[in-house]
Amino acid sequence: MNKIASFTVDHLRLEPGVYVSRVDQDPTTKCVVTTFDLRLTAPNREPVMDTDAVHAIEHLGATFLRNDPQWAERVVYFGPMGCRTGFYLLLFGEYQPSDVADLVRRMFEFIRDFEGEIPGARPADCGNWHDSSLPGAQWWARRYLEQTLYHLDQAHTTYPVA
């Protein structure tokens, strides 16, 4: 079998950042979707995020994105990576990290500053509603903003290739 593109990224050198994971075009409709890798931790060198923080970030991030006046109609998906080191953001259209840097910063500022009940964190709304930590989500959001998003550069937007 062919090695998929994400397995060609050198995860031993990958830093937290905002990366284009892939750009896909439907051959029939010509619709383009860009998949972003929003990497919050350095894989295999830093601890992974706890599931309750990941879940809260997922709910808060999706709520923010689906309500953003500029980007809401272009959002296809926002959700966690199975390895718990980051999130995928899929958008209709072809973009680079610089195109979405402001959106991603604003989303994580929203998560950092959020107060109240996490959207969708009720039994009728979510299949695992009780596994959610707002303080954990805010800690990771603050860390990502301060250590990465406020200082995005080429080293944190270009994949290291294996």
Side-chain angles (χ1 to χ4, degrees):
M1 280 192 251
N2 294 327
K3 193 180 225 185
I4 65 171
S6 61
F7 296 154
T8 66
V9 174
D10 186 346
H11 285 72
L12 297 174
R13 295 186 310 142
L14 183 60
E15 295 293 330
V18 177
Y19 303 94
V20 172
S21 177
R22 56 187 295 148
V23 177
D24 296 291
Q25 183 177 48
D26 181 279
T28 303
T29 66
K30 305 299 182 208
C31 178
V32 174
V33 173
T34 302
T35 300
F36 285 96
D37 169 342
L38 307 181
R39 192 67 62 150
L40 276 71
T41 72
N44 304 307
R45 298 185 314 280
E46 295 182 319
V48 298
M49 294 177 282
D50 295 329
T51 60
D52 57 356
V54 168
H55 198 194
I57 292 170
E58 177 186 19
H59 279 240
L60 291 164
T63 298
F64 173 84
L65 291 165
R66 297 289 184 179
N67 285 281
D68 185 81
Q70 180 185 355
W71 289 92
E73 297 301 317
R74 293 183 260 179
V75 174
V76 176
Y77 172 78
F78 174 75
M81 296 176 180
C83 61
R84 294 183 293 144
T85 63
F87 293 84
Y88 288 115
L89 170 61
L90 282 70
L91 299 171
F92 286 118
E94 187 168 354
Y95 305 102
Q96 294 300 313
S98 58
D99 299 323
V100 299
D102 179 65
L103 174 68
V104 175
R105 274 192 295 271
R106 289 187 296 110
M107 175 175 59
F108 279 91
E109 287 170 345
F110 172 80
I111 294 167
R112 179 197 62 199
D113 300 338
F114 187 82
E115 294 180 4
E117 183 179 313
I118 296 170
R122 293 178 178 225
D125 301 334
C126 179
N128 191 15
W129 65 275
H130 62 281
D131 185 22
S132 192
S133 169
L134 180 57
Q138 291 173 320
W139 186 90
W140 282 105
R142 187 176 311 106
R143 179 183 186 268
Y144 192 41
L145 286 161
E146 292 172 2
Q147 294 184 10
T148 306
L149 295 178
Y150 290 148
H151 314 285
L152 260 181
D153 58 14
Q154 186 172 352
H156 297 92
T157 58
T158 305
Y159 275 143
V161 179

